[in-house]
Amino acid sequence: AGTSIISYTVTNSCGTDVATTTVTVSPLPVAGTITGTTTVCAGSTTTLSDVASGGTWSSVSTSVATISNGGILTGVSAGTSVISYTVTNSCGTDVATTTVTVSPLPVAGTITGTTTVCAGSTTTLSDVATGGTWSSVSTGVATISNGGIVTGVSAGTSIISYTVTNSCGTDVATTTVTVSPLPVAGTITGTATVCAGSTTTLSDVATGGVWSLVSTGVETISTGGIVTGVSAGTSIISYTVTNSCGTYVATTTVTVSPLPVAGTITGTTTVCAGSTTTLSDVATGGTWSSVSTSVATINTGGIVTGVSAGTSIISYTVTNSCGTEVATTTVTVSPLPVAGTITGTSTVCAGSTTTLNDVATGGTWSSVSTGIATISTSGIVTGLSAGTSIISYTVTNGCGTDVATTTVTVSPLPIAGTITGTTTVCAGSTTTLSNVATGGTWSSVSTAVATIGTGGIVTGVSAGTSIISYTVANSCGTDVATTNLTVSPLPDAGTITGADSSVCINNTIVLADAATGGYWSTSNYKVTVTGGVVTGLRAGTVTVSYTVTNSCGTATATKSVSVNPLPDAGNIIAH
């Protein structure tokens, strides 16, 4: 193809002449060769090309594939189609062809089968499409096997997929499978003990269940789980949950505890203070108590001890987990007779009275020794004679007799008796006085004359007289016995006086003494003394005495006197 100048050359001797024309050679049409991917998926495109230009594209089977002017091949449906590239010119037509295969898109189809299953059970799904694989989005809810068997794992929903894959891609069919939960009754919680007549509420986290019980005579239960105790015993409580997957029951045993029953207290309800009475109650397990323990006490065995007069409520208390019931009775404690305490002066003088008292009323007075003391109905004691008598105040009632006693002493009137003994005594000496009366005290009116000790011993102090008393005193008065006591003086020799205490032989000195009634004497013959006149006889020393004597003895005053010798010139001798 192209142009060429065609010459017609005529040459002669004259030359050459050339005639020319241009000849155009048109090319034969050349469709070339179709290149490009000759497989395409339905719904997808691929581009074919041909180096030849000016051609037109066509598909024999447009239901399988179509092709645009630009060579863009679109897969329509699975199959093959001959694709042509036709080049036409004035010289004719040339066609290049290729076979294109349109691969089908994967088709997952539609999942069929029951799409609900209980947890733990299976259901089978299917799909007309073949070659696919099954899967579950939430395997914690449901799993599916290669054969389409769905196993419920736990309540919920999971998307089940059937996936078909080929060279053209993947197609997924899905359906939602609902796994219904197995009925779960959970666990019954709450206090499983209830008192008869009371309620306790049970609960269960599981919802939609129904409460029921086995023994309606023991307890009842409401739709809200409120158990009401009817009578002591046990019953099985059930909480039943039912759904499309079945029924499940949770149970618990509820114990109905009996209410405490205190019964009735029986027995004698009066008792004397200090005595006992026994109460009883047919109910067991209770405890006894007394409201006023100062009136009555009660021990664990029901023995009531009267303490003091009055009333006290005695209780028998029965307590259990359901509460407390108390049976009561009033016990009256009768007082013991109380004679009280006798008060008042319990000493009385013979011939006098004293009044005794007692705060207790209704008693009677008595005296054991009526020869010593008597007592009137009003408590006036009259002393009769010295001694003691037991005075009683006796109170009697239904609980016995009580006696208060006191000893009354009847004191004798004081008797001083008569003082006996020697009633003269020398000064400085003693004499003993006595009295048959006892318990008295001795005294001297003139203690300068005489004193007297507790034993009646009189000591003369100085000459004179004194009244000696013996005084007997008691609570009933004083009596005094007296006597006159004379104290004789002791003899008193005085003191010998004189101007000289020496005398010459044959001379005299005069001595004197103020004491009277005495007499003079000398101890030897060296002097003589008469009337106090001392005459010296021989040289030496002598004792001159003045002696006074009376009924109380002798007293002597002395003085030493020296007798001086006469001067002696001796004899003159001539030699």
Side-chain angles (χ1 to χ4, degrees):
T3 61
S4 179
I5 298 173
I6 300 298
S7 297
Y8 187 72
T9 305
V10 178
T11 302
N12 60 22
S13 59
C14 289
T16 300
D17 189 22
V18 180
T20 61
T21 189
T22 299
V23 173
T24 299
V25 178
S26 298
L28 290 173
V30 178
T33 302
I34 297 171
T35 59
T37 302
T38 57
T39 58
V40 66
C41 294
S44 296
T45 62
T46 184
T47 301
L48 301 180
S49 61
D50 196 298
V51 293
S53 60
T56 59
W57 294 94
S58 63
S59 170
V60 171
S61 301
T62 57
S63 61
V64 173
T66 61
I67 191 166
S68 70
N69 290 332
I72 298 172
L73 179 70
T74 300
V76 176
S77 63
T80 60
S81 179
V82 176
I83 299 298
S84 299
Y85 184 71
T86 303
V87 177
T88 300
N89 62 14
S90 57
C91 292
T93 297
D94 190 24
V95 179
T97 63
T98 188
T99 299
V100 171
T101 300
V102 177
S103 299
L105 290 174
V107 177
T110 302
I111 299 171
T112 59
T114 302
T115 56
T116 58
V117 64
C118 294
S121 296
T122 61
T123 184
T124 301
L125 301 180
S126 59
D127 196 299
V128 292
T130 60
T133 57
W134 294 96
S135 64
S136 171
V137 169
S138 302
T139 56
V141 173
T143 61
I144 190 167
S145 70
N146 290 335
I149 299 173
V150 177
T151 300
V153 176
S154 64
T157 59
S158 181
I159 297 173
I160 300 296
S161 300
Y162 184 71
T163 303
V164 177
T165 301
N166 62 15
S167 58
C168 289
T170 298
D171 189 30
V172 180
T174 61
T175 189
T176 298
V177 169
T178 299
V179 179
S180 299
L182 289 175
V184 177
T187 301
I188 298 173
T189 59
T191 302
T193 57
V194 65
C195 296
S198 295
T199 62
T200 184
T201 300
L202 302 180
S203 59
D204 196 300
V205 292
T207 59
V210 176
W211 293 97
S212 63
L213 53 80
V214 173
S215 301
T216 56
V218 173
E219 59 207 9
T220 62
I221 189 165
S222 70
T223 56
I226 300 173
V227 177
T228 300
V230 176
S231 62
T234 60
S235 181
I236 297 174
I237 300 292
S238 299
Y239 183 70
T240 304
V241 177
T242 300
N243 63 12
S244 58
C245 292
T247 297
Y248 189 76
V249 181
T251 62
T252 189
T253 298
V254 172
T255 299
V256 178
S257 301
L259 292 174
V261 177
T264 302
I265 298 172
T266 58
T268 302
T269 57
T270 58
V271 64
C272 292
S275 296
T276 62
T277 183
T278 300
L279 300 181
S280 60
D281 195 298
V282 292
T284 59
T287 57
W288 293 98
S289 63
S290 170
V291 170
S292 301
T293 55
S294 61
V295 173
T297 62
I298 188 166
N299 68 9
T300 55
I303 298 174
V304 177
T305 300
V307 177
S308 63
T311 60
S312 181
I313 296 174
I314 300 295
S315 300
Y316 184 70
T317 303
V318 177
T319 299
N320 63 14
S321 58
C322 291
T324 298
E325 187 179 37
V326 182
T328 61
T329 190
T330 299
V331 167
T332 300
V333 179
S334 300
L336 289 175
V338 178
T341 302
I342 298 173
T343 58
T345 302
S346 58
T347 58
V348 64
C349 296
S352 297
T353 62
T354 185
T355 300
L356 300 180
N357 299 293
D358 196 299
V359 292
T361 59
T364 57
W365 293 98
S366 63
S367 171
V368 170
S369 302
T370 55
I372 293 173
T374 61
I375 188 166
S376 71
T377 56
S378 59
I380 298 174
V381 177
T382 301
L384 299 179
S385 62
T388 60
S389 180
I390 297 173
I391 300 296
S392 300
Y393 185 71
T394 303
V395 177
T396 299
N397 66 10
C399 289
T401 297
D402 189 36
V403 180
T405 61
T406 189
T407 299
V408 168
T409 300
V410 179
S411 300
L413 294 174
I415 299 174
T418 302
I419 297 172
T420 59
T422 302
T423 57
T424 59
V425 64
C426 295
S429 294
T430 61
T431 184
T432 301
L433 300 180
S434 60
N435 196 311
V436 293
T438 59
T441 57
W442 294 98
S443 64
S444 171
V445 170
S446 301
T447 56
V449 173
T451 61
I452 189 165
T454 56
I457 298 174
V458 177
T459 301
V461 176
S462 63
T465 60
S466 179
I467 297 172
I468 299 298
S469 299
Y470 184 72
T471 304
V472 176
N474 62 16
S475 58
C476 294
T478 300
D479 189 34
V480 181
T482 62
T483 190
N484 289 325
L485 180 81
T486 300
V487 178
S488 300
L490 290 175
D492 185 2
T495 301
I496 298 172
T497 61
D500 297 315
S501 59
S502 63
V503 64
C504 293
I505 294 174
N506 298 320
N507 287 335
T508 62
I509 59 174
V510 178
L511 300 179
D513 194 300
T516 61
Y519 66 90
W520 296 92
S521 64
T522 180
S523 62
N524 57 43
Y525 55 87
K526 292 180 180 180
V527 295
T528 62
V529 59
T530 302
V533 178
V534 178
T535 301
L537 296 179
R538 287 181 176 79
T541 300
V542 298
T543 297
V544 176
S545 300
Y546 184 73
T547 302
V548 178
T549 298
N550 65 12
S551 59
C552 291
T554 298
T556 301
T558 62
K559 186 175 179 67
S560 179
V561 175
S562 298
V563 179
N564 298 322
L566 294 174
D568 184 4
N571 296 314
I572 300 173
I573 300 174
H575 292 284

